[in-house]
Amino acid sequence: QVQIVESGGGLVQAGGSLRLSCTASGDTFWYMGWYRQAPGKQREVVASIRSGDPDYADSVKGRFTISRDNAKNTIYLQMNGLKPEDTAVYYCNALTRLGGPSYWGQGTQVTVSS
């Protein structure tokens, strides 16, 4: 049974940092990534990683870093220099294979105050 477990969300002031964690269990995952959805907006890709190659949304480049611990099937999102516009529910997503089913975490709230 595939299970996605997230942690690390919270409330921080602008300029602060958070680190999100996502552990995917029950399979081997070719792709894992972080998405976010702010109120009234569509879900968007924040950062993803496959085969060790990270990709970032332009809005977070230079501030966020995605990393993966393959032994733990865990990805992290180190978020530095947080801005109020980063406020959103952050979701972890994982795929076991190209074109395969997409698995989502429950989402964790990140709130950045001014």
Side-chain angles (χ1 to χ4, degrees), residues 5-6 10 41 46 49 51-52 57 73 75 85-86 102 110 112:
V5 180
E6 304 171 343
K41 297 184 178 180
V46 177
I49 188 166
S51 300
N73 296 315
I75 60 167
E85 52 263 42
D86 295 318
S102 181
V110 172
V112 184

Side-chain angles (χ1 to χ4, degrees), residues 9-90:
L11 172 64
V12 298
Q13 293 189 344
S17 299
L18 284 173
R19 191 177 80 153
L20 306 183
S21 299
C22 172
T23 298
S25 61
D27 212 326
T28 301
F29 299 90
W30 170 75
Y31 166 96
M32 295 184 71
W34 289 100
Y35 295 66
R36 68 185 181 188
Q37 187 167 20
K41 297 184 178 180
Q42 294 185 332
R43 189 171 300 183
E44 63 178 351
V45 177
V46 177
S48 63
I49 188 166
R50 60 178 182 179
S51 300
D53 297 323
D55 292 309
Y56 300 95
D58 289 341
S59 60
V60 306
K61 287 182 179 178
R63 299 187 298 119
F64 292 9
T65 302
I66 188 171
S67 60
R68 179 168 182 166
D69 185 336
N70 290 322
K72 297 180 179 180
N73 296 315
T74 298
I75 60 167
Y76 306 91
L77 187 66
Q78 180 65 48
M79 303 185 292
N80 298 325
L82 284 163
K83 304 175 180 179
E85 52 263 42
D86 295 318
T87 296
V89 178
Y90 284 70

Side-chain angles (χ1 to χ4, degrees), residues 90-103:
Y90 284 70
Y91 298 91
C92 182
N93 178 239
L95 277 69
T96 60
R97 63 186 187 276
L98 181 63
S102 181
Y103 299 94

